[in-house]
Amino acid sequence: MTKEWILLVLCGIQGSGLSTKPSWFQNISTDLFKSPGDIMIGGLFPINELTSDLSKRVKPDDLECNSISTFGLSLALAMKFSLDEINSKENLLPGITLGFESYDTCMQPAIVMKPVLQLLTKGTTEELDVTCNYTDYKPRVIAIIGPNSSDLVPVIGKLIGFFLMPLISYGATSDMFSDKETFPSFMRTVPSDRWQVTAMVQLLKEFGWNWVSVVGSDDEYGQKGQQKFSSMANEESICVAYQGLIPVYSDPVQAVTEILNHIVDAKVGVVVVFSLPKPARDFFAEVIRRNMTGVWVASTAWALNDIVSTLPGISTIGTVLAFADITRPLNLFTPYIRELFTKIEEMQIPQQPDTEISPLDNPCTRCSYLSQANMSMIEIKPVQRSAFSVYTAIYCVAHALHNLLGCNATRCALNPKTDNVYPWQLLQSLQKVSVDLEGVSLQFDKEGNPSFGYDALQWKFDNDTTVRFDVIGYFYQNLMINKNNITWHTKNGKVPMSTCSSDCGIGQVHRVKGFHSCCFDCIDCKEGTFLNRSDDIQCKSCPIGQWSTPRSTSCVYPIYTYLDWSNYESVGLILGGILVLVSLVWVGVLFFKHRGTPLVKTAGGPLTGLMLLSLVGECISLVLFLGQPGDVVCRLQEPLNAFFPTVALSVILTISLQIVCITEFPEKSSEHLENIRGRVSLFVILGCCGLQAGLCGWYAQEAPSLTQYVASLEVTYVKTFLRCPVEPMLNFGLMLGFNVMLALVSFMATFMALKPPGQYNLARDITISTLSYCVLWVMFIPIYTSLSDKEKSIAQVGVSLLSIIGLVASYFFPKCQLLVKHPELNTDDHFRTFLEGVPPTPPEES
């Protein structure tokens, strides 16, 4: 007994499971393409495919569409399902039944005209009235759902637009239909190709692809899509290397071959294919045959179509990224079709198809054979996704009628059985309707486009012919994509490149070569120019007072360097200066120790102290060339460097004059020598120093300050050596030249003087010292002019030190040697000629 109760409970549970089907499934009609109703809706679907040759068409009816398209048939069934579901909802259109008539378009303009004319006939008749006023004209249907292709809308859209009958397409995406002046009644539940093109361009930019080809089918959809893509790509700096069209109504083999040859020649890695399914199939069949790989960007028309995705070898073409109309699953659609096919299968054995029946009456004569075995045709992903667009279109009509008829949950204010409801009224209601289906909110904009975008997909290949469509992102006005969900079919599994030229580095400007802006050479910005934005087409010049190095992104104010105290050059010069100073001090101490001796008197007496002090001053003044220069330093630098040697050279000049007096005027030398050593020497020294002081003052007055000099410089450097301005050069040359002249006069006065026999040769010291001074400074002039600023400062300090040591070594060191090593010669007899003015006696010839 217990077992029997358990069995009854199990049967009850099983029976309850069978009752989950909606009750309205029991009323499903097996008439697939027609159903009566209070308000009729027309449907246009590609139920069949063309099987005749258009090129051999002679008569209007020389067209055959005898191959069933399971995709188009499934969408027609989606319309039947949608209307049956709406009729089952008592609160949407209470008391009103929606009927429908579905017709085949065969994807051919010549075919679609017949059902359109049929749908435009008056009422239930088959007559199309010609009247002066169509405002009160009531055609057979209140709206038309379809067509699927953009190629058919131009043929029928203007005609239907004349009646202002809503034409709601579930697949026509061409942007030209957004023109409400030309297509006033056209609406759609799929986004416009303008959005699709925007999504494609954003996808290319997301991965840095700017060198692509675009291929379209040679029809309204492909041509307009290709044109729109090329235009928008150009605005976003994406270059279209090649454009090709696949023939739709003629043999495409030769054209596809040429297209692929051009794609190979262009060396692009990404191809956008804006095509209907059949041309796309022909295109990819040749791609597979050639074993070509790349990234293929699919438009919505073929992205989910099985005639492309099931091609043998499709998995070898590389990576396919696609955009598909946004969709939501229709949970009852599959159970509904299963129930429908079950009822068809349970009917009596169908008779042989009657070939005399017009396609308008029965577009699918073989559909009476449908059974459970055919369920796979509506379970494929493309059908499931596109069915939602049909479903949405019909629900928009139903909700617009709900508003137009003034319906609530129980009744409608207007009854279509007694009240006239016109298509143009429904159009106005549709333009304001807002529908929420399966979580998707839809309303139409002023151009008749829906308020949603696309799903971004990738084809995932499970095997040679099985393709999964994985969602990788979403687009509505802006693209959002998850790159981690993409599997790249490349050798290294990484994002492929598709650029004509590699990106330029920083500070490089593009120089376009050829006709494409994406093909360019990278040219370095030169010195004095910069590039701070990568999209600039040329390098900009630096502002006045600034400069840049090659390939700079900005300009900078110059940095000035100088002979810093810690520089190797400065340290070397300082050590040299210390050595000279030590020599001068040693000589000074030695001479001071032997002051009043004949040698010191002969050398100049007290004037030697003046001479040594001036050389010390000269040596110390050279520190003005080291360290950071300033206005005061630069005013004193060159004048002091010229004045101190003048003092020493003027002392030597006075001694030279004494030698001239002794050697050239021997008979008068003794009486004038003391005068020359006194007042004349003082006058000569003061005169020379005064004249040099005047030259130095003139130089200081004419020379610009360092601040003025820096401000006047033309900046053509980022970093340079800054020295005090040596301007004007004439004044600088006069100061140095005056010293050289003093040395030269002294040299001329002494180099021919006779050596006193057995006495010290004072003329020799003057000759050698002044000659060394002249040689050094004369050599300095050509060397100085060819040096850089830093080298000029080092050279001037170096030559100054050499000239000092030259004077000391040639004039003082011989005397110091005598004082140190031969003090016994420091007597009046050894210097008598120069002390007493007695002329030297030439040696007697033997």
Side-chain angles (χ1 to χ4, degrees), residues 373-520:
N374 301 111
M375 281 298 298
S376 60
M377 77 178 195
I378 61 99
E379 292 175 343
I380 61 175
K381 206 65 170 285
V383 170
Q384 292 286 329
R385 297 187 69 93
S386 298
F388 183 74
S389 298
V390 177
Y391 182 81
T392 305
I394 295 170
Y395 262 88
C396 285
V397 173
H399 280 271
L401 285 170
H402 177 90
N403 298 333
L404 178 61
L405 299 177
C407 300
N408 55 32
T410 57
R411 61 181 295 276
C412 295
L414 297 178
N415 187 345
K417 297 175 183 178
T418 57
D419 299 311
N420 289 325
V421 181
Y422 299 106
W424 58 268
Q425 294 175 319
L426 176 62
L427 179 63
Q428 294 176 353
S429 183
L430 273 168
Q431 292 168 345
K432 303 173 184 177
V433 76
S434 179
V435 181
D436 192 342
L437 297 173
E438 306 296 336
V440 176
S441 179
L442 182 144
Q443 58 189 31
F444 297 101
D445 62 17
K446 62 181 181 180
E447 296 177 343
N449 297 315
S451 57
F452 52 72
Y454 303 96
D455 285 329
L457 311 172
Q458 183 188 12
W459 286 19
K460 297 289 182 69
F461 304 106
D462 293 333
N463 52 52
D464 186 49
T465 57
T466 304
V467 178
R468 287 185 294 109
F469 305 102
D470 287 1
V471 177
I472 58 173
Y474 173 76
F475 174 85
Y476 179 62
Q477 297 184 341
N478 290 293
L479 180 65
M480 294 177 290
I481 195 165
N482 188 343
K483 297 180 181 179
N484 296 327
N485 289 348
I486 301 176
T487 301
W488 298 104
H489 298 283
T490 55
K491 292 181 180 180
N492 57 9
K494 295 182 179 179
V495 180
M497 297 294 293
S498 187
T499 57
C500 181
S501 301
S502 300
D503 290 340
C504 291
I506 58 172
Q508 290 185 317
V509 71
H510 298 169
R511 177 175 292 173
V512 176
K513 55 182 180 181
F515 301 100
H516 297 286
S517 61
C518 301
C519 298
F520 49 80

Side-chain angles (χ1 to χ4, degrees), residues 598-608 611 649-685 745-746 748-750 753-754 756 762-763 766 811 815 831-840:
L599 185 147
V600 175
K601 290 180 180 179
T602 303
L607 293 181
T608 57
M611 182 177 176
L649 291 171
S650 63
V651 172
I652 293 176
L653 178 60
T654 62
I655 299 172
S656 300
L657 292 177
Q658 295 176 37
I659 295 174
V660 170
C661 180
I662 293 170
T663 57
E664 298 299 326
F665 309 98
E667 65 282 354
K668 297 180 181 181
S669 62
S670 58
E671 60 184 85
H672 294 292
L673 186 59
E674 195 64 32
N675 192 33
I676 293 174
R677 284 176 180 165
R679 288 175 296 178
V680 173
S681 294
L682 182 61
F683 177 78
V684 169
I685 292 172
V745 171
S746 298
M748 295 293 293
T750 59
L754 296 175
L762 183 61
I766 295 176
Y811 188 77
K815 299 174 179 61
F831 297 94
R832 187 175 302 279
T833 298
F834 302 104
L835 288 174
E836 299 177 1
V838 179

